[in-house]
Amino acid sequence: EAAVTQSPRNKVAVTGGKVTLSCNQTNNHNNMYWYRQDTGHGLRLIHYSYGAGSTEKGDIPDGYKASRPSQENFSLILELATPSQTSVYFCASGGPGSAETLYFGSGTRLTVL
Amino acid sequence: AQKVTQTQTSISVVEKTTVTMDCVYETRDSSYFLFWYKQTASGEIVFLIRQDSYKKENATVGHYSLNFQKPKSSIGLIITATQIEDSAVYFCAMRGLSSGSWQLIFGSGTQLTVMP
């Protein structure tokens, strides 16, 4: 069954530390996305990718980097984590076409102390 | 800029009744896609139903249907014969086709509670 898997499920980091959130999809989708979810804001797009080697900025990219080394894997990197980045992060894959349905991972709960 | 607004923060209904959740959107695109997603208590987010802007017929999937009112930029989600397991947060989302952007813009969500 096609799936999107995120790791870790939970992460506690210290301010100023580096955090890497990983996402793997077996859907063979070209497009992958990173969202964060905060109360009252729904899902906000951080970075996305159209395929291996590509990354694009979403609505709230500041403080985040992304890496898409392969079709299956898409990482979100916080080089210098801050408490304001405490949130739940969701990865999704989708495609093909503009009417694509997104398939979401189970989320990563990140706490930055 | 594109925007999706869900003004109902939470709704409570009795099981087996019908509920409508509202969503309005803003876009300058002539063609766009509208989606509803459901987030369960466990955090899982799943796709429910889609409406293509060029289609006049309201989409229907199982006991989910849409009330698409294009002149009002409105896309309501209707759930008939609600069940306890329909309790979840429902997100409205839109994708326009302008400037080659494929971003999916989400509303803030509506918490639905179905009571026995």
Side-chain angles (χ1 to χ4, degrees), chain A residues 37 59 97-98 100-102, chain B residues 33 37 39 95 97 102-103:
Chain A
Q37 182 177 29
D59 294 328
S98 53
E100 65 178 9
T101 295
L102 295 193
Chain B
F33 300 94
Y37 284 81
Q39 184 174 33
R95 173 179 288 115
L97 302 177
W102 292 58
Q103 294 185 29

Side-chain angles (χ1 to χ4, degrees), chain A residues 40-103:
Chain A
H41 288 281
L43 292 157
R44 292 182 292 174
L45 183 64
I46 306 170
H47 283 287
Y48 59 104
S49 169
Y50 293 130
S54 91
T55 60
E56 305 288 338
K57 293 180 179 179
D59 294 328
I60 52 166
D62 293 345
Y64 302 94
K65 290 173 55 178
S67 174
R68 183 87 181 270
S70 65
Q71 177 83 339
E72 297 79 18
N73 295 296
F74 190 37
S75 298
L76 185 68
I77 303 156
L78 291 67
E79 294 278 7
L80 295 170
T82 68
S84 65
Q85 294 175 313
T86 293
S87 186
V88 180
Y89 293 84
F90 286 93
C91 175
S93 74
S98 53
E100 65 178 9
T101 295
L102 295 193
Y103 294 85

